Amino acid sequence: MPFLLDIWHAVQTVVMASDWITLAIMVVVALGAGFLMHNMTSLVTTTFVALIAFGLAGYVRAITIGKQNPSAFATTDWQAFLNLPMRQFLPYVLVFLVAIAVAHALRAATVGRD
């Protein structure tokens, strides 16, 4: 099963190669999505909404902290997303899926409802 090893290495690359601000944004978005999710049946939908929120937060970060031109960066960012290979997209989906599921499970265990 070498494809599982490829996916695992890609997930490690996402986590280990990101800077601290990006990781903090990922954690905040995943925790927020996990706490706001109603039940586990909406995990896939919540994951993709969280990925959109993560992308928008990265755009806002580039505009505010990175002092990028908003219009030019939006075009560049969109083209980068359209050219994103599945091998890079899948690890982000898996990281967010697991983080949101864990956050929701913690909320359900502490609050006592699903």
Side-chain angles (χ1 to χ4, degrees), residues 48-69:
F48 283 104
V49 170
L51 284 168
I52 292 169
F54 174 67
L56 290 174
Y59 175 75
V60 169
R61 174 186 174 207
I63 299 302
T64 56
I65 296 175
K67 306 293 186 207
Q68 297 288 331
N69 179 5

Side-chain angles (χ1 to χ4, degrees), residues 20-57:
W20 288 105
I21 297 173
T22 304
L23 290 175
I25 292 171
M26 289 173 76
V27 167
V28 168
V29 169
L31 284 176
F35 287 146
L36 293 175
M37 190 169 63
H38 292 291
N39 52 23
M40 284 298 239
T41 57
S42 62
L43 181 61
V44 174
T45 306
T46 305
T47 299
F48 283 104
V49 170
L51 284 168
I52 292 169
F54 174 67
L56 290 174

Side-chain angles (χ1 to χ4, degrees), residues 12-23 26 54 92:
Q12 284 181 328
T13 301
V14 165
V15 175
M16 299 299 183
S18 298
D19 61 342
W20 288 105
I21 297 173
T22 304
L23 290 175
M26 289 173 76
F54 174 67
Y92 282 98

